[in-house]
């Protein structure tokens, strides 16, 4: 019961401190310019990584309905349904038409060549998408689910410790005003509480600082996987160019 009362009192003092700060009636401990800069860089990293992940998913799967389906499958860890991409369907239509007109005819043969090339393009696209997911999306999502969530949790804890510290400072000022005696036990008790709150705050700010520094250092790894993504993209477009150049030459001979 005593622990419950103590916890309720702590929550009440935090709420009081928070409200008074919003009203401009209480002092607030500042984190300092260097730490604020770290937090700003960490927040930028979170925001832009989330946007990059979202737009990469849109690039790899333009259909929003299928993106939602993939998201749900990821959450329930279900195997994605096998689906033909539009370019594969297009290629198959050209092949069927070519066979119907006759492979031996100029038009039928051209349709067959075009359809087969569309299927090659589809396979190249499938390989690019898979490599992009494995080498780029998965690491970024793991970063958001791991390091970013951890630092967000510790930042909330830090703000709680900061409120506790400032509440203790405010309480000490009030207690000293109410008790003029230099050796008043009430003042000594509040001073002891303040030292504890200061120690917990100092510890939490160091923990959060280390995590933020880790977030910022992740830019090196993110640059590496970005290079891998661009290499995969370049390979994909080079394959497409090669396939289409060959198709143009073949069509020119028919």
């Amino acid at each position: 019961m005593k622990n419950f009362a103590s916890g309720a009192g702590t929550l009440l003092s935090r709420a009081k401190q928070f409200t008074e700060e919003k009203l401009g009636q209480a002092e607030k401990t500042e984190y300092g310019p260097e730490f604020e800069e770290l937090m700003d860089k960490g927040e930028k990293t979170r925001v832009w990584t989330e946007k990059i992940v979202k737009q990469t998913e849109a690039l790899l799967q333009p259909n929003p309905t299928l993106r939602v389906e993939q998201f749900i499958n990821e959450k329930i860890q279900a195997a994605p349904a096998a689906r033909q991409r539009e370019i594969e369907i297009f290629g198959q239509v050209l092949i069927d038409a070519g066979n119907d007109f006759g492979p031996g005819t100029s038009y039928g043969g051209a349709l067959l060549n075009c359809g087969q090339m569309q299927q090659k393009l589809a396979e190249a696209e499938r390989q690019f998408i898979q490599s992009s997911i494995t080498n780029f999306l998965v690491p970024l999502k793991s970063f958001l689910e791991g390091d970013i969530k951890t630092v967000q949790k510790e930042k909330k804890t830090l703000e709680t410790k900061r409120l506790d510290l400032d509440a203790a400072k405010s309480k000490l000022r009030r207690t000293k005003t109410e008790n003029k005696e230099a050796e008043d036990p009430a003042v000594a008790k509040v001073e002891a509480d303040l030292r504890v709150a200061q120690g917990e705050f100092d510890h939490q700010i160091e923990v959060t600082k280390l995590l933020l520094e880790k977030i910022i250092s992740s830019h090196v790894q993110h640059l590496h996987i970005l290079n891998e993504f661009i290499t995969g993209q370049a390979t994909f477009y080079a394959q497409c160019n090669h396939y289409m150049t060959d198709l143009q030459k073949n069509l020119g001979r028919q």
Side-chain angles (χ1 to χ4, degrees):
M1 191 68 181
K2 184 178 179 181
N3 288 338
F4 175 79
S6 175
T10 300
L11 290 174
L12 184 61
S13 66
R14 285 176 192 162
K16 184 175 183 293
Q17 177 68 27
F18 178 81
T19 302
E20 290 178 349
E21 286 176 2
K22 291 297 182 183
L23 296 174
Q25 298 173 354
E27 295 181 10
K28 179 179 178 179
T29 298
E30 300 296 334
Y31 291 130
E34 290 186 6
F35 189 79
E36 291 285 357
E37 184 180 0
L38 272 178
M39 289 215 293
D40 182 56
K41 288 181 178 178
E43 184 62 10
K44 283 182 181 179
T45 300
R46 179 190 69 80
V47 169
W48 285 111
T49 302
E50 287 177 348
K51 289 183 177 181
I52 289 168
V53 166
K54 181 179 178 181
Q55 290 308 127
T56 303
E57 289 176 331
L59 172 69
L60 300 180
Q61 177 49 269
N63 188 318
T65 302
L66 294 182
R67 285 205 305 275
V68 171
E69 182 181 306
Q70 289 172 353
F71 174 79
I72 294 172
N73 285 334
E74 286 178 7
K75 291 300 179 184
I76 64 176
Q77 297 183 335
R83 292 182 182 275
Q84 281 190 310
R85 301 182 72 83
E86 294 302 323
I87 191 171
E88 293 177 270
I89 298 172
F90 176 57
Q92 189 59 54
V93 167
L94 295 181
I95 289 172
D96 291 343
N99 284 325
D100 197 22
F101 283 117
T105 66
S106 295
Y107 185 42
L111 286 168
L112 278 172
N113 283 336
C114 290
Q116 290 164 356
M117 198 58 69
Q118 296 302 315
Q119 292 189 333
K120 286 186 177 181
L121 291 173
E123 180 58 30
E125 184 182 49
R126 186 180 292 107
Q127 290 176 1
F128 166 62
I129 290 171
Q130 188 56 53
S131 68
S132 297
I133 291 171
T134 303
N135 300 326
F136 191 62
L137 269 182
V138 168
L140 290 182
K141 285 186 173 182
S142 296
F143 171 73
L144 290 172
E145 288 295 315
D147 292 347
I148 289 296
K149 280 194 174 180
T150 299
V151 80
Q152 292 296 94
K153 177 184 175 183
E154 295 302 332
K155 281 167 66 178
K156 288 181 180 178
T157 301
L158 176 61
E159 182 62 10
T160 298
K161 298 299 181 184
R162 201 273 306 160
L163 285 169
D164 289 345
L165 174 62
D166 287 333
K169 289 179 179 178
S170 297
K171 186 176 181 180
L172 179 60
R173 283 192 294 270
R174 289 194 303 270
T175 305
K176 284 184 174 181
T177 301
E178 296 166 359
N179 300 272
K180 303 298 184 180
E181 296 181 18
E183 301 298 327
D184 193 290
V187 174
K189 171 66 169 59
V190 177
E191 286 177 337
D193 291 343
L194 175 58
R195 286 193 293 271
V196 171
Q198 184 70 60
E200 291 181 351
F201 172 78
D202 292 342
H203 172 74
Q204 187 60 34
I205 204 167
E206 283 302 313
V207 169
T208 310
K209 180 183 176 183
L210 289 173
L211 290 171
L212 286 169
E213 288 173 344
K214 182 182 178 184
I215 293 296
I216 295 165
S217 69
S218 69
H219 292 183
V220 176
Q221 173 62 14
H222 293 180
L223 175 59
H224 174 70
I225 62 175
L226 177 62
N227 279 326
E228 287 193 345
F229 172 77
I230 295 303
T231 297
Q233 198 173 35
T235 300
F236 168 58
Y237 286 127
Q239 281 182 306
C240 292
N241 181 64
H242 174 70
Y243 291 150
M244 297 311 294
T245 300
D246 282 353
L247 178 60
Q248 281 183 311
K249 290 178 181 178
N250 289 337
L251 291 176
R253 289 194 291 266
Q254 287 184 329

